[in-house]
């Protein structure tokens, strides 16, 4: 995949949700891993970065501290560096996605969440343009597993929207389903690199259909319950809106309060 193809693949898969043209970044292809490590060392020293154990960055630290599978990286100024010996066909799309991610997303999400979602989106975009993603299996597999569970709660459309437009609605949607404070707990586990704990937190994951059913099928449905369903509907992406509608539809008819029935029908477009 060359730069133009990668950019087109992202535009085609996510241009609509991004709401603005996908940018290609400034790509530099280097000859081998040693050259990539040298650049990481150079930038890390320039940026005043520290090693995981707190030492000021020195030449040689990239090789020492960074996962040997690293195939490229993107910087905040939209420059992208790729090792041409890499064998993962999603790498260029992956780095280009970083360049197009919302600044709010980048600021709020720990690296593990960012990388897991970035690779998931890269695989989607590569496949949607008819290319094979074979060779990407060892790129962030654990991170992808954990964010996959997160997407099981909020829906992949809502995750994609958060990636390009900021995570506030996704966080609110997650907590609407899982309870107050749960998103911060999940993020804290991911930030600490404790992916097993993050997965455990999601073991009893719920979803919109379950939540909407709970809210609308009690013996007494309050106006607050109705408003919560409408709030959730407003937070989520189109695919997830469909889940909310499908769950609400059969329950709305059985509501005895005519005002609540009308409110839901209008708000959820039933
Ligand atoms: Zn990445």
């Amino acid at each position: 995949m060359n730069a133009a193809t990668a950019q087109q693949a992202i535009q085609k898969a996510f241009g609509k949700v991004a709401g603005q043209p996908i940018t290609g970044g400034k790509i530099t292809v280097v000859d081998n891993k040693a050259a990539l490590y040298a650049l990481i060392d150079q930038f890390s020293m320039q940026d005043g970065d520290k090693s995981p154990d707190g030492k000021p960055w020195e030449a040689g630290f990239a090789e020492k501290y960074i996962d040997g599978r690293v195939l490229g990286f993107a910087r905040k100024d939209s420059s992208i560096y790729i090792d041409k010996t890499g064998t993962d066909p999603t790498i260029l799309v992956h780095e280009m996605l970083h360049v197009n991610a919302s600044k709010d997303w980048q600021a709020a999400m720990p690296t593990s969440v960012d990388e897991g979602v970035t690779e998931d989106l890269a695989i989607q975009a590569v496949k949607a343009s008819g290319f094979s993603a074979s060779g990407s299996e060892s790129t962030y597999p654990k991170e992808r597993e954990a964010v996959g569970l997160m997407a099981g709660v909020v829906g992949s459309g809502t995750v994609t929207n958060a990636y390009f437009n900021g995570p506030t609605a996704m966080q609110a949607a997650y907590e609407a389903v899982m309870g107050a404070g749960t998103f911060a707990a999940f993020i804290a586990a991911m930030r600490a690199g404790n992916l097993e704990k993050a997965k455990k937190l999601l073991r009893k994951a719920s979803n919109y259909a379950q939540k909407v059913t709970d809210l609308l099928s009690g013996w007494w449905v309050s106006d607050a319950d109705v408003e919560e369903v409408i709030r959730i509907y407003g937070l989520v992406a189109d695919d997830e809106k469909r889940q909310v509608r499908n769950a609400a539809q059969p329950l709305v008819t059985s509501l005895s309060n005519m005002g609540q029935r009308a409110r839901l029908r209008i708000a959820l477009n039933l």
Side-chain angles (χ1 to χ4, degrees), residues 29-142:
V29 178
V30 303
D31 286 339
N32 50 43
K33 186 146 291 182
L36 197 70
Y37 281 151
L39 282 167
I40 294 174
D41 283 339
Q42 180 194 318
F43 289 130
S44 300
M45 288 188 279
Q46 197 175 301
D47 296 347
D49 289 347
K50 295 214 159 66
S51 68
D53 44 4
K55 285 180 251 163
W57 205 277
E58 288 172 22
F61 275 16
E63 188 170 8
K64 189 170 173 191
Y65 290 109
I66 291 181
D67 190 324
R69 292 171 306 182
V70 66
L71 305 169
F73 60 93
R75 286 178 51 80
K76 285 200 169 69
D77 64 359
S78 299
S79 56
I80 292 171
Y81 299 84
I82 304 278
D83 169 10
K84 80 172 178 193
T85 65
T87 51
D88 177 351
T90 67
I91 179 65
L92 189 51
V93 170
H94 176 112
E95 300 306 337
M96 214 177 263
L97 278 163
H98 279 310
V99 165
N100 286 277
S102 135
K103 297 289 167 251
D104 291 342
W105 166 273
Q106 290 176 14
M109 292 298 126
T111 307
S112 52
V113 174
D114 186 25
E115 295 298 357
V117 172
T118 300
E119 186 54 22
D120 262 346
L121 296 177
I123 292 170
Q124 279 180 51
V126 164
K127 286 183 174 169
S129 280
F131 292 89
S132 167
S134 174
S136 67
E137 294 77 8
S138 57
T139 303
Y140 300 114
K142 292 201 185 87

Side-chain angles (χ1 to χ4, degrees), residues 11 28 44 52-53 93 120 125 151 158 173 181 191 198 207-208 218 247 253 268:
Q11 181 68 45
T28 305
S44 300
D53 44 4
V93 170
D120 262 346
T158 299
R191 195 180 296 283
N207 57 40
Y208 300 120
T253 350
L268 271 56

